[in-house]
Amino acid sequence: ARQDGEMWLGIVSRLFGDDELAVPVETLAYYLRLLAFGSSIPMFNEPHPFDTDELVGLALHGALPHA
């Protein structure tokens, strides 16, 4: 069982299955946490502040064009 501090990992794993993603669910969870915290710190989010739509697009589709 996960400790309380890791409860958020369980929440993400209930939203997605490993077969739906290009990375393991736990890896996605850490990517999302990195995006959320990094974008919330002003000095890391300058000179180009990202809006929610940009961050969601990056999380869902990555940065490469789709073939």
Side-chain angles (χ1 to χ4, degrees):
R2 296 186 190 274
Q3 297 182 10
D4 288 341
E6 296 176 332
M7 193 165 128
W8 64 278
L9 291 170
I11 293 169
V12 175
S13 69
R14 286 192 298 271
L15 295 172
F16 300 98
D18 278 329
D19 60 333
E20 297 177 286
L21 302 169
V23 298
V25 173
E26 190 167 302
T27 300
L28 173 66
Y30 284 108
Y31 287 163
L32 294 174
R33 184 175 77 164
L34 179 66
L35 276 173
F37 284 111
S39 65
S40 69
I41 299 170
M43 79 179 191
F44 293 143
N45 201 19
E46 295 293 333
H48 176 79
F50 293 96
D51 64 29
T52 302
D53 289 337
E54 287 176 294
L55 295 174
V56 168
L58 178 62
L60 293 178
H61 306 292
L64 298 175
H66 298 283

